């Protein structure tokens, strides 16, 4: 694992929003009535609910020294005390009723003078009182580190449209370069970050193959990266013709693929506000700078962003978030053909 960014200061403690194991309750299955904190062994097929009263709280982790094991809590965490050991135990994959997969990292919190507790870090948003069926459990997932959670990124080689009409590989950009944005014209790039991750699980890239959305060449993005879609024909199923669609919801195993394996160089772009830029000609979001999104980034990148954007309060670009269920209803064929007349090719 390697990550770097421009002018990166000394890394601050890594921050993540986590739940207590008591917040996850088995409503049906072998462990019915138990919480994740109580279940002796998770069983595939069990159905979990996130409690309506559940509140995500901040976990701060010290950056371990070389070879440092285990991770340690930093001062200011909502759980336990500074110096408490934290160990990554499992990665659990669950499925929501709409077929959308959600991954959880299960952490053991070794409290001083007390029995160990369980903390749970969802890798994508979860809703309370929704049935989540446990599909599989990975014990001691060596390839996952908390500091490796990256959310909105483009693969190396992605061509980004500049204000003068040129398209250049994302890795050649520098802060200050003027990028073409959909709504505000040419805007200076404020920040460029890079992380190299193993392309497995949540970090496997999505590939939108050449021509699928008018793109000249494949577009490679992270799974949570949202694509901007403009529907030429209004639908009664949507509140607005403008949609923001997570790339993983577009996967159909024909034109849009999940490509696991190897290592992926991911790049993130940020501006003074949340923007829509053009990548391989496809409109896509920039990194939205808020505490929730930045908490998912590798720690050195997150520290750099916090130094560059101290307010941490960008407002999302206008557009309806599209769920997998909505895309299944609309049909991906129609989505792939959606493009406003003024979009560049």
């Amino acid at each position: 694992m390697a990550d770097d960014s421009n002018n990166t200061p000394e890394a601050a403690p890594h921050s993540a929003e986590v739940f207590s194991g008591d917040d996850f309750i088995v409503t049906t299955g072998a462990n019915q009535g138990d919480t994740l904190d109580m279940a002796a062994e998770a069983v595939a097929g069990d159905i979990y609910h996130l409690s309506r009263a559940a509140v995500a709280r901040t976990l701060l982790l010290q950056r371990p020294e070389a070879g440092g094991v285990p991770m340690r809590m930093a001062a200011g965490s909502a759980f336990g005390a500074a110096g408490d050991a934290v160990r990554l135990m499992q990665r659990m994959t669950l499925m929501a009723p709409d077929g959308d997969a959600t991954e959880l990292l299960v952490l053991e919190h070794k409290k001083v003078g007390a029995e160990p507790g369980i903390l749970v870090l969802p890798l994508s948003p979860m809703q309370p009182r929704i049935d989540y069926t446990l599909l599989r459990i990975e014990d001691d997932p060596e390839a996952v580190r908390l500091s490796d959670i990256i959310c909105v990124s483009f693969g190396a080689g992605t061509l980004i449209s500049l204000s003068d009409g040129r398209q250049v590989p994302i890795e050649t950009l520098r802060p200050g370069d003027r990028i073409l944005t959909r709504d505000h014209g040419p805007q200076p790039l404020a920040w460029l970050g890079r992380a190299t991750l193993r392309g497995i699980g949540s970090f496997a890239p999505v590939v939108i193959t050449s021509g699928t959305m008018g793109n000249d060449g494949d577009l490679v993005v992270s799974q949570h990266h949202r694509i901007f879609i403009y529907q030429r024909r209004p639908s009664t199923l949507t509140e607005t013709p403008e949609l923001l669609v997570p790339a993983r919801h577009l996967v159909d195993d024909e034109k849009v693929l999940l490509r696991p394996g190897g290592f992926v160089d991911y790049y993130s772009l940020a501006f003074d506000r949340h923007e829509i830029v053009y990548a391989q000609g496809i409109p896509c979001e920039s990194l939205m700078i808020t505490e929730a999104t930045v908490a998912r980034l590798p720690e050195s990148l997150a520290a750099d962003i916090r130094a560059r954007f101290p307010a941490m309060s960008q407002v999302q670009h206008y557009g309806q978030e599209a769920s997998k269920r909505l895309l299944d209803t609309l049909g991906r064929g129609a989505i792939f053909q959606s493009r406003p007349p003024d979009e560049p090719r």
Side-chain angles (χ1 to χ4, degrees), residues 155-178:
T158 299
L159 297 180
I160 302 296
S161 296
L162 302 182
S163 59
D164 61 7
R166 289 182 297 140
Q167 292 185 314
V168 300
I170 193 168
E171 58 267 30
T172 67
L173 293 174
R174 296 293 179 267
D177 287 347
R178 295 183 69 79

Side-chain angles (χ1 to χ4, degrees), residues 260-344:
F263 287 83
V264 185
D265 287 330
Y266 279 125
Y267 289 83
S268 295
L269 305 177
F271 299 84
D272 288 336
R273 57 191 155 195
H274 190 222
E275 299 281 7
I276 302 298
V277 301
Y278 295 99
Q280 302 290 156
I282 296 177
C284 304
E285 68 171 331
S286 66
L287 178 65
M288 183 169 65
I289 307 299
T290 67
E291 281 289 355
T293 55
V294 173
R296 295 175 178 232
L297 291 173
E299 54 208 27
S300 60
L301 303 188
D304 192 31
I305 288 179
R306 289 189 175 96
R308 173 63 181 80
F309 304 91
M312 302 285 289
S313 58
Q314 289 188 355
V315 177
Q316 177 176 296
H317 180 278
Y318 178 76
Q320 179 183 347
E321 179 92 15
S323 66
K324 182 177 182 296
R325 178 178 294 176
L326 174 61
L327 292 189
D328 289 342
T329 303
L330 291 174
R332 285 164 182 73
I335 292 294
F336 294 156
Q337 296 172 17
S338 298
R339 175 190 291 273
D342 60 343
E343 300 289 13

Side-chain angles (χ1 to χ4, degrees), residues 48-71:
Y48 286 81
H49 275 189
L50 176 63
S51 168
R52 190 186 299 275
V55 176
R57 292 184 286 171
T58 301
L59 171 68
L60 297 176
L61 291 174
Q62 298 171 0
R63 187 176 186 181
E65 298 181 5
V69 177
M71 298 175 284

Side-chain angles (χ1 to χ4, degrees), residues 182 213 227-245 283 318-322 326-327 329-341 343:
R182 184 180 188 274
M213 301 181 72
I227 311 300
F228 179 86
I229 303 291
Y230 181 90
Q231 301 178 94
R232 292 182 179 183
R233 298 177 179 83
S235 169
T236 57
L237 298 174
T238 58
E239 301 167 3
T240 168
E242 298 186 340
L243 301 177
L244 289 169
V245 183
Y318 178 76
Q320 179 183 347
E321 179 92 15
L326 174 61
L327 292 189
T329 303
L330 291 174
R332 285 164 182 73
I335 292 294
F336 294 156
Q337 296 172 17
S338 298
R339 175 190 291 273
E343 300 289 13

Side-chain angles (χ1 to χ4, degrees), residues 3-6 8 150 152-154 170 175 189 191-195 265-270 287 297 301 304-305:
D3 59 53
D4 56 67
S5 58
N6 300 316
T8 302
I150 192 163
V152 175
S153 301
F154 300 97
I170 193 168
L189 177 64
W191 180 87
L192 174 71
R194 171 178 171 260
D265 287 330
Y266 279 125
Y267 289 83
S268 295
L269 305 177
L287 178 65
L297 291 173
L301 303 188
D304 192 31
I305 288 179

